[in-house]
Amino acid sequence: MSLLEARGLICHFGGVKAIDGVDFDLEPGEVHALIGSNGAGKSTLVGLLSGRIPVQAGSIRFDGRDITRLPAHARVACGIAYAFQITSVFPRLSVFDNVALAVQRTGARDLRAGTMAALDRVGLAALADRLAGALSYGHQRLLEIAMGLALAPRLLILDEPTQGLAAAEIDSFKALVRSLPATILLIEHNMEVVMDLAGRITVLGNGRVLARGTPAEIRANPVVQAAYLGGRDADA
């Protein structure tokens, strides 16, 4: 059984069909990439799945449970964590305290151990006492991933996670993703990262699914090549 099943999702903004009848599945333990050109509907679809945008039609099930009408905070409690495209750290709190706030939500008995474990996993343990706002943009991205990991999610949604990362940091990020036990939904403009990490890829265009398949199948798909892989900007 799929971990997440979305059927017939619709979300229109005025006359714009941002998501227009999308079916989408995530299998337990997979890394699934979501790609598409500017305005394809990626951010809207992620908003629907995470509960930050209301579903106008269709359904979403997570681990067999209907979560279509659940708000975002309730979906977090179900095991869905979301690292935003734009960093959402608390700049005036320390790196440690940012992650500790997430660990607190899990009811962990040892707050410090849980916090440091998440920071260590993303390579930020040595910066635990630094103010989050003083970090480089790339390190803020990693901090947000640590905050997501601290929730011990079953599904972790990563929205443009390598944006602002140096080449060495991207290599470390890929190693991190491969080590995670959670199902990963990756929204990413860096096609090298997508093709290297994803087991399956879904391509959106004009609010609809253009194609889905393995990296090899997506590379060979003429519709995808014409609409996306020919060099158009993938940022949503």
Side-chain angles (χ1 to χ4, degrees):
M1 184 177 69
S2 297
L3 178 64
L4 182 142
E5 300 176 353
R7 294 291 178 268
L9 293 184
I10 289 178
C11 183
H12 296 174
F13 299 107
V16 178
K17 298 178 179 180
I19 292 295
D20 193 27
V22 167
D23 294 342
F24 188 74
D25 294 87
L26 291 171
E27 301 301 324
E30 77 168 330
V31 178
H32 192 125
L34 181 65
I35 66 173
S37 59
N38 186 39
K42 303 189 300 297
S43 295
T44 302
L45 178 57
V46 169
L48 296 174
L49 298 179
S50 62
R52 287 171 172 82
I53 298 175
V55 174
Q56 294 171 355
S59 64
I60 304 171
R61 299 185 71 84
F62 185 72
D63 196 22
R65 176 186 178 186
D66 189 339
I67 64 169
T68 309
R69 303 302 170 194
L70 287 184
H73 67 86
R75 297 192 197 191
V76 171
C78 290
I80 300 174
Y82 178 21
F84 293 85
Q85 181 177 0
I86 301 172
T87 56
S88 58
V89 302
F90 299 99
R92 296 184 180 180
L93 295 181
S94 70
V95 169
F96 180 93
D97 286 344
N98 268 267
V99 178
L101 287 172
V103 175
Q104 241 177 357
R105 296 191 60 167
T106 69
R109 293 183 179 180
D110 192 332
L111 183 65
R112 180 168 183 80
T115 300
M116 292 307 297
L119 287 173
D120 186 59
R121 194 147 203 179
V122 301
L124 293 180
L127 302 179
D129 294 329
R130 187 169 299 184
L131 284 179
L135 296 179
S136 68
Y137 182 79
H139 280 167
Q140 288 188 30
R141 300 292 292 157
L142 293 174
L143 173 57
E144 191 174 48
I145 293 171
M147 293 163 68
L149 292 176
L151 294 168
R154 299 186 61 194
L155 167 59
L156 179 60
I157 302 173
L158 299 175
D159 198 347
E160 302 289 359
T162 67
Q163 184 176 317
L165 298 187
E169 292 172 326
I170 290 176
D171 289 339
S172 297
F173 166 78
K174 290 193 289 186
L176 168 65
V177 169
R178 293 189 184 103
S179 74
L180 296 178
T183 300
I184 306 294
L185 174 56
L186 179 67
I187 302 90
E188 177 58 59
H189 72 282
N190 186 322
M191 291 306 300
E192 182 180 349
V193 171
V194 168
M195 294 299 179
D196 199 18
L197 286 179
R200 288 196 301 155
I201 300 170
T202 294
V203 185
L204 289 184
N206 297 318
R208 298 189 174 211
V209 174
L210 288 180
R212 57 169 60 93
T214 65
E217 290 168 339
I218 294 301
R219 279 195 191 98
N221 188 306
V223 174
V224 178
Q225 290 175 356
Y228 179 59
L229 293 180
R232 294 176 62 182
D233 184 7
D235 208 6

